[in-house]
């Protein structure tokens, strides 16, 4: 029986403009209030996730920076996993390369990040991957930003740590997302789902694909798999 949900935020709980879907928030609150542990998993920073956990109404556990950081509950300490200096060194190479072309990378929350670096999708993702070929880094395209992080970390791998510390087996989790950084998380959970706006590779990795997009798709999935709670 499913006991918990681990969910992406941008593109999964939001609309295309990154505005939170209010029906998705109400759904999360109903599930959490009825004993279903809700875990947020995002490429966002820990400071954003701390606020969202409280304001949305989860139990406080989250994964941030695409698996680079996590916290258990509202009272747990923030855990940082990768060596960010590796990502910073890779970023320096990119900055110097694009400066020669008159391009300035638009950085996202550089002072609030502890595990990765992220910047706007104003340069080709494949070009970034080619420039950093041979580096010990992972480059992720979340559809909202390009992220660089020391290789070996992901939402799915940190999900394993979360499940162990919460004493909830991964088989009792439903995972849902929309982007490539959600794939291993979706594959690790007992039930893996995605919303209709997901990339093709994400859809192939899922057990169930919602007919609806964005936050409406999230509500659709939760209603399907938790009818004993959401049909009340």
């Amino acid at each position: 029986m499913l006991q918990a949900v681990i969910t992406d935020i941008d593109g999964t709980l939001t609309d295309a403009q990154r505005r939170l879907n209010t029906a998705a928030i109400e759904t999360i609150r109903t599930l959490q209030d009825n004993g279903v542990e809700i875990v947020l998993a995002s490429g966002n920073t820990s400071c954003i996730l701390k606020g969202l956990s409280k304001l949305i109404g989860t139990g406080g556990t989250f994964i941030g920076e695409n698996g680079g950081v996590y916290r258990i509950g509202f009272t747990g300490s923030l855990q940082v996993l990768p060596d960010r200096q590796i990502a910073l060194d890779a970023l320096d190479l990119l900055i110097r390369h694009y400066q020669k072309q008159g391009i300035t990378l638009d950085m996202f929350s550089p002072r609030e990040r502890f595990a990765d670096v992220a910047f706007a999708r104003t340069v080709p993702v494949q070009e970034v991957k080619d420039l950093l070929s041979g580096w010990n880094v992972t480059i992720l395209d979340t559809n909202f930003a390009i992220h660089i992080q020391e290789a070996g970390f992901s939402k799915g791998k940190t999900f394993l740590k979360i499940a162990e510390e919460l004493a909830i087996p991964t088989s009792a989790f439903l995972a849902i997302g929309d982007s490539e950084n959600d794939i291993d998380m979706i594959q690790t959970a007992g039930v893996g789902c995605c919303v209709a706006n997901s990339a093709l590779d994400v859809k192939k990795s899922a057990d169930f694909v919602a007919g609806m997009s964005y936050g409406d798709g999230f509500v659709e999935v939760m209603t399907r798999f938790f009818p004993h709670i959401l049909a009340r």
Side-chain angles (χ1 to χ4, degrees), residues 208-229:
F208 177 78
V209 179
M212 302 181 75
S213 297
Y214 300 104
D216 291 334
F218 174 86
V219 174
E220 175 191 341
V221 170
M222 296 306 117
T223 302
R224 176 186 176 90
F225 287 95
F226 296 95
H228 55 295
I229 294 174

Side-chain angles (χ1 to χ4, degrees), residues 88-143:
L88 290 171
D89 291 343
L91 175 66
D92 183 62
L93 181 151
L94 295 178
I95 289 174
R96 287 186 282 107
H97 172 82
Y98 286 114
Q99 279 180 340
K100 293 176 183 177
Q101 301 180 30
I103 298 171
T104 300
L105 296 180
D106 182 10
M107 304 304 301
F108 288 168
S109 307
R111 296 181 180 179
E112 286 79 38
R113 292 188 174 275
F114 301 105
D116 74 357
V117 297
F119 49 91
R121 299 169 76 248
T122 53
V123 294
V125 178
Q126 188 57 52
E127 183 178 45
V128 171
K129 291 181 178 181
D130 291 342
L131 287 167
L132 296 178
S133 175
W135 282 68
N136 185 37
V137 295
T138 299
I139 297 100
L140 284 171
D141 177 11
T142 65
N143 295 326

Side-chain angles (χ1 to χ4, degrees), residues 64-69 79-92 113-118 135-138 147-154 158 161:
E65 299 188 45
N66 295 304
V69 301
Q79 303 298 313
V80 180
L81 302 176
D83 178 359
R84 187 170 187 251
Q85 189 58 51
I86 294 173
L88 290 171
D89 291 343
L91 175 66
D92 183 62
R113 292 188 174 275
F114 301 105
D116 74 357
V117 297
W135 282 68
N136 185 37
V137 295
T138 299
H147 295 252
I148 301 172
Q149 187 177 87
E150 180 187 5
F153 302 91
S154 67
T158 304
K161 294 180 179 291

Side-chain angles (χ1 to χ4, degrees), residues 178-230:
D178 75 303
S179 299
E180 65 170 313
N181 62 331
D182 298 316
I183 290 176
D184 67 340
M185 180 180 80
I186 288 170
Q187 293 176 329
T188 300
V191 177
C193 304
C194 68
V195 289
N197 52 287
S198 301
L200 180 59
D201 285 348
V202 183
K203 291 179 179 179
K204 289 180 178 179
S205 73
D207 300 307
F208 177 78
V209 179
M212 302 181 75
S213 297
Y214 300 104
D216 291 334
F218 174 86
V219 174
E220 175 191 341
V221 170
M222 296 306 117
T223 302
R224 176 186 176 90
F225 287 95
F226 296 95
H228 55 295
I229 294 174
L230 297 174

